Amino acid sequence: MVSETYVECLVARKSSFVIRLLRPLLIMLTVCCFIVGLMDIRSLIAAIVLGVASYFVYMNADIEYEYLYLDKEIKIDKVLAKSKRKKVVTYDIGRMEILAPVKSYHLDAFRNRELKSVDYSSGTDEDGKKYMMVYEGNQKVIWEPSAEMVKAIQMVAPRKVFTD
């Protein structure tokens, strides 16, 4: 008998102030250069370059992270502008050292260690929702799993998961 647990969670990343300011500014500059570009070829080329830059800023302004837990694996995907999906990383629960809330005292032993840090959270300061996972002793992952996902991981690795 195979027991598979499937939990999915979607977290929207908060856009930075610069991105929120840059997005409409680039669109306005693109339109202005295009209008002037009807008379001057250099402005038309500038409009094309600004249009491409606007596209990339638009795609990176609206980012969501999708966490998927299935069969002792956590998969994290990045969804750009609700239209394009990129596979980011897959973590094996067996190689995880600890999973606990960011402010937990269980993580004190890992705070002063030099670990590579990656952040797949919403970017807000709601520390009650953020968890830190130390993976293979050399990477700390900040993310915001749902309570259901934490419980599913805790069922597989009860000595490695803390919810305080």
Side-chain angles (χ1 to χ4, degrees):
M1 181 173 155
V2 177
S3 175
E4 291 184 355
T5 304
Y6 175 86
V7 182
E8 189 175 327
C9 180
L10 193 66
V11 174
R13 183 153 184 92
K14 183 182 174 199
S15 298
S16 70
F17 175 74
V18 174
I19 294 291
R20 286 184 279 159
L21 181 68
L22 196 59
R23 201 164 131 184
L25 182 66
L26 279 173
I27 292 170
M28 288 188 308
L29 284 172
T30 303
V31 171
C32 290
C33 285
F34 181 76
I35 291 170
V36 173
L38 296 175
M39 294 177 255
D40 183 24
I41 190 72
R42 288 177 286 179
S43 294
L44 189 59
I45 292 170
I48 292 170
V49 170
L50 286 170
V52 170
S54 297
Y55 171 76
F56 285 111
V57 168
Y58 170 75
M59 290 301 279
N60 289 307
D62 188 17
I63 295 176
E64 294 177 331
Y65 290 110
E66 181 183 56
Y67 314 133
L68 177 71
Y69 173 76
L70 176 65
D71 196 28
K72 298 181 184 179
E73 283 188 342
I74 301 167
K75 295 181 183 181
I76 299 178
D77 291 343
K78 185 191 284 190
V79 181
L80 303 171
K82 294 183 174 70
S83 62
K84 190 175 182 181
R85 175 182 305 273
K86 283 185 169 182
K87 182 181 181 219
V88 177
V89 69
T90 301
Y91 295 108
D92 180 23
I93 298 297
R95 299 166 120 180
M96 174 184 75
E97 285 190 32
I98 189 170
L99 174 67
V102 171
K103 300 279 185 177
S104 175
Y105 69 91
H106 294 286
L107 294 169
D108 288 346
F110 300 98
R111 295 210 195 277
N112 294 328
R113 288 172 56 186
E114 290 293 322
L115 302 173
K116 180 181 159 196
S117 180
V118 290
D119 190 351
Y120 302 119
S121 68
S122 66
T124 60
D125 292 332
E126 296 179 30
D127 289 330
K129 292 183 178 181
K130 284 187 183 180
Y131 277 75
M132 183 192 306
M133 175 174 63
V134 177
Y135 190 73
E136 290 188 330
N138 62 2
Q139 184 179 35
K140 64 180 176 182
V141 180
I142 308 294
W143 59 313
E144 296 181 34
S146 64
E148 183 183 2
M149 185 173 288
V150 172
K151 260 195 187 332
I153 297 169
Q154 193 172 27
M155 296 293 283
V156 174
R159 293 184 180 178
K160 296 179 180 181
V161 179
F162 302 95
T163 57
D164 61 346

